[in-house]
Every structure is written in C-alpha cells, then in structure tokens.
Amino acid sequence: MGAGAPRGAGGAGRGPGPGGLRASLAGLTTRGRSFLAAGTAAAVCAYVLGQGELLRVGLLLAALPLVCVLALHRTRHRVAGSRRLTPVRVPAGAEARVQLRVDNVSRLPTGLLMLQDRVPYVLGPRPRFVLDRVEAGGRREVSYRVRSDLRGRYPLGPLQLRLTDPFGLVELTRSFSTYDLLTVVPRTEELAPSRLTGESSGYGDGSRRALALAGDDDVIPRGYRRGDDLRRVHWRSTARYGELMVRREEQPQRSRATVLLDTRAVAFEGAGPDSAFEWAVSAAASTLVHLLERGFAVRLVTDTGSSVPGEGGGFSSGGSESAEASGLMMDTLAVVGHSDGAGLSRAYDALRSGDGGGAGSGGDGLLIAFFGDLDDVQTEMAAKMRGRSGAAVAFVLDPDRWAGRPGGQAEERLHRLRETGWAALAVPPGAAFGDLWRQAGSAPLDAQTSGGRS
C-alpha cells in the first residue's frame, strides 16, 4: 500500500490507494508551488542571460518540491484506523464520545501524521490531531466529544490522514471509506405516574379494566407436560384425543396505547429548538418512553398515516422486541419533519385500521395526541378519532399564541374536543410538559370516559 493509504479496521474501512504520481503532484502546498515556480523562473532567466550559478540555484529550487513529491509518493505505510462511538444514540444537548485509534501494521515507522475526522458543523468544529512518529506495530489513540442541540442523524467520518514532508512542500490526504452514524433523539422529560397509566388511586374500576394487564385463559388445550398442575386437566379434550390434555396457562394481555403526532407544516410556525413543533416532538418522545416503562404496548402514528413500529397499526411487543421498538420509534422522532398534508384523514384511517384493542379500533386503548393548528374541519376529524378509546388526551398547540399573536378560535375547538370525550389541553409557549401531563391525569373522568362519541 502506498503513502499513507489507510487500511480499515473496526469502525473505519479500507482507504483508497495512493493514486498515481499526478495525484501526488496535486498535493503540492502553496509553499511547494512557490518553490517550483521560483525555481523554474530562475532557471529560464539564467539560461537566457547565460548565468550558470543562477541556473544551479533555479534547478535546486525547482527540484526540491519534486523530490519531496517523489519521496512521499514512494513511502510505503500500512495504517489501520478504527472509530468507536459511545453511545450511538443520545438526547439533544447530550454529549457522545468518539475514540479514534490508528495502528501502524507495517514494518517501518511512520513520519508525522495529521489525523482529521469529518463531522457536520452542527456537532462542533472538525477535530484535528497531530500524531508523532508511530513505531512499527505501534498504535495511537485520541478522542473527542460531539454534541448537538438539534435532533437528527449525523454521519461521522470518513477518517482522514495527512502526510507531509519535513519542509511543508507537499501534503497528501488519504481517506478511509466508512463512517458511523450518530442519532440525536429528542429530549425527554420524566413523567409522574398518573391515572392515565393506571398508577394512581381513584381512577375507577371501569377504566382500570380497560387498562388491565391480565387476560383470560386460552381455551385451546395442549398436551400434558411433566410438572403441569393436574387441576388444569381439560377432561373433555382428554376424552376426545385419548391423551391427557391441559388448559393453557393464562396469557397476559398488555395494555395498548397510541401516540399521535401531528406533523403538518400548515399546523406549525417557526423552527429551531424552541419552536412549537419541536415541543410536540419532544413531548411525544417523553410520552412513548413513559408508556413503555409502564408496560404498555405502544405505537406511534403521524398525520401521514405511518405507524411505528409496524405498518398496518402494529403495536410494540414485550421483552427485547419492546426495546427494539422503542429504539425504532425514537429513531423515527429523531428525523421526523413537517409533512405536506393539509388534513388528518390518513391518521384517522390508520387509527381505524389498528389491531383490536388499539385506539379507534373498537378496543379500549389509550390515545394521546399532539395537535398543531386545527380548523373547523380538522377539529371534527379529531373528534371522530375519539372512537372507543378507553381514554383520550389531546395537547393542542395554537400557533397564534406561540407566535405572540392574539389567540383565535382555539378555545372553541378545545371545547368541541371535550364534548366528544377528549381531555383537551391548550399548550402555551414554553410550557413544561410534565405539568401538563399531571393536569391531564387529574382531568375529570367524564371528560375522558363518558364524553360523547362521534
């Protein structure tokens, strides 16, 4: 492998070859080009004027950068690099640590190396390190930290190595081929237990049944296994099949919840970390984390009709699948942006097509929605989403209030949602979501469970 061509290991991949001599000539620095131009001009003048001593000086000046190019081009190093990103998913405003390692896997020591990692500008300045001579078989490790106040998915890399000659006349850059991704998810807020998640006394027996975590026995019997309780023997099936059959164990049924996020561009104004849309995204993320921690099977639905973790209204499962679904939903919220839609009809269809037990599908699931601006038509559409949910809470962000203008008909639309059974709350600019969550949990039960149905 030619001069400084890195070979991948770990988080970085195989770098490109050193290229031809023309590529090395392109690595001449400003100083090197100046030496070459001055030497050529001096040699031409000396030839025209017949000055032998000036000709020797000119040839020396012109030859020096060319010799450095040739020497650096023929230098053979085999360098491997790796990158370790910890963690790969961080909340907005938190730091992640990036550790770089360079291994000299050749039999010759390297010269001075300049190490540079390419990062997006929102993560901070581009990190650069100068590495002293790396002995044969040796390694060097450096690290830096990145942070972003803006959610998103950001590439780190590729890693670059710079080789220079002692005179600074030539500089060659070699890049590794792979990169890592840092996912910056929305900030989340720890939420207090509330009646919405069935963790506070006085919620009501009917609503508790809607959020119960235990189901009925499966009536389909199975073959007897050693250690089964004989009291679970299903005698009718035993007589039918001619072998001992027992009722299946109780199959737990997890409570279900749907988080609906309105992403319509026409429903929000402004941009940046303090905008209404970012508030809604962060609040939706906090809600998802809280519900998953309470054992709910959860899904995320947007106004476009898309459903996470599964298409067609699928909910998260338990165990390791629940953790995977949580990561998938947070990754989705990390990159979610404004949609071009003008209405909520596709979200309504997604709720209706959900599995049994989901909000709006005939079950008694929990529905929590984050709406932007609602006109009369979309207010009626939101009212229809109430369906047969066990409880439904709407957080409505009025863009007029967030923009500092006098509010319009927001209160009338909140009243309409409450008439149809929503526990609807207005979200003022900069409100703490934890406080609004507690208000939603303390809302009158008739606003959640005994309201009208559309």
Side-chain angles (χ1 to χ4, degrees), residues 223-425:
Y224 175 82
R225 298 172 186 169
R226 185 176 180 180
D228 284 338
D229 190 348
L230 292 177
R231 291 176 296 181
R232 301 186 67 87
V233 173
H234 196 269
W235 297 109
R236 182 177 300 177
S237 298
T238 299
R240 178 180 178 182
Y241 292 104
E243 61 176 317
L244 203 59
M245 306 291 290
V246 298
R247 297 188 302 273
R248 292 178 184 267
E249 294 84 355
E250 185 180 42
Q251 301 296 320
Q253 181 182 359
R254 304 178 71 207
S255 299
R256 293 183 173 183
T258 298
V259 176
L260 173 61
L261 176 63
D262 183 5
T263 65
R264 296 172 298 139
V266 297
F268 297 93
E269 294 183 12
D274 298 326
S275 65
F277 181 67
E278 292 301 323
W279 189 99
V281 173
S282 178
S286 301
T287 303
L288 289 169
V289 171
H290 179 76
L291 293 174
L292 287 169
E293 290 177 349
R294 298 306 182 270
F296 278 73
V298 184
R299 65 173 174 172
L300 171 67
V301 178
T302 67
D303 62 287
T304 62
S306 61
S307 178
V308 183
E311 296 297 332
F315 288 80
S316 63
S317 302
S320 60
E321 295 183 3
S322 180
E324 181 179 351
S326 173
L328 182 59
M329 286 185 281
M330 295 303 289
D331 288 346
T332 301
L333 290 177
V335 297
V336 68
H338 288 299
S339 69
D340 297 329
L344 300 170
S345 58
R346 286 183 288 181
Y348 174 69
D349 294 338
L351 294 178
R352 291 186 60 187
S353 63
D355 296 349
S361 61
D364 290 329
L366 176 63
L367 175 59
I368 300 178
F370 298 90
F371 294 120
D373 186 29
L374 296 174
D375 57 22
D376 293 337
V377 175
Q378 303 313 317
T379 300
E380 293 302 319
M381 183 63 66
K384 293 169 58 178
M385 294 179 185
R386 176 63 175 86
R388 291 174 56 189
S389 304
V393 182
F395 299 93
V396 183
L397 292 83
D398 184 1
D400 289 330
R401 296 185 61 184
W402 280 77
R405 299 188 298 267
Q409 299 177 341
E411 195 58 39
E412 296 180 7
R413 290 158 186 166
L414 289 173
H415 180 69
R416 172 56 182 159
L417 293 178
R418 291 167 186 152
E419 285 182 340
T420 57
W422 287 88
L425 287 81

Side-chain angles (χ1 to χ4, degrees), residues 46-72:
Y47 178 77
V48 173
L49 299 176
Q51 298 292 329
E53 295 181 358
L54 182 60
L55 179 62
R56 288 192 290 271
V57 173
L59 292 176
L60 177 62
L61 290 176
L64 183 59
L66 298 178
V67 171
C68 291
V69 167
L70 185 61
L72 207 58

Side-chain angles (χ1 to χ4, degrees), residues 141-196:
E141 292 185 358
V142 293
S143 64
Y144 64 95
R145 295 184 179 274
V146 292
R147 68 181 298 272
S148 173
D149 292 326
L150 300 175
R151 57 185 176 83
R153 187 175 289 122
Y154 304 102
L156 299 178
L159 192 63
Q160 293 180 331
L161 285 177
R162 287 186 182 180
L163 291 165
T164 61
D165 67 285
F167 303 104
L169 303 178
V170 185
E171 182 179 276
L172 299 181
T173 301
R174 298 291 180 255
S175 297
F176 292 86
S177 60
T178 61
Y179 58 90
D180 291 304
L181 284 176
L182 173 66
T183 303
V184 181
V185 300
R187 291 185 180 93
T188 58
E189 184 176 347
E190 185 175 354
L191 304 179
S194 70
R195 296 186 300 174
L196 296 175

Side-chain angles (χ1 to χ4, degrees), residues 46-114:
Y47 178 77
V48 173
L49 299 176
Q51 298 292 329
E53 295 181 358
L54 182 60
L55 179 62
R56 288 192 290 271
V57 173
L59 292 176
L60 177 62
L61 290 176
L64 183 59
L66 298 178
V67 171
C68 291
V69 167
L70 185 61
L72 207 58
H73 174 74
R74 295 179 61 86
T75 300
R76 297 186 178 273
H77 297 312
R78 296 176 63 201
V79 180
S82 63
R83 180 191 301 104
R84 178 180 298 175
L85 176 60
T86 309
V88 297
R89 184 187 292 117
V90 296
E95 288 188 342
R97 184 171 182 265
V98 184
Q99 185 174 359
L100 305 176
R101 194 179 86 175
V102 176
D103 295 87
N104 182 13
V105 295
S106 66
R107 298 181 179 179
L108 298 175
T110 70
L112 190 68
L113 298 177
M114 285 184 288

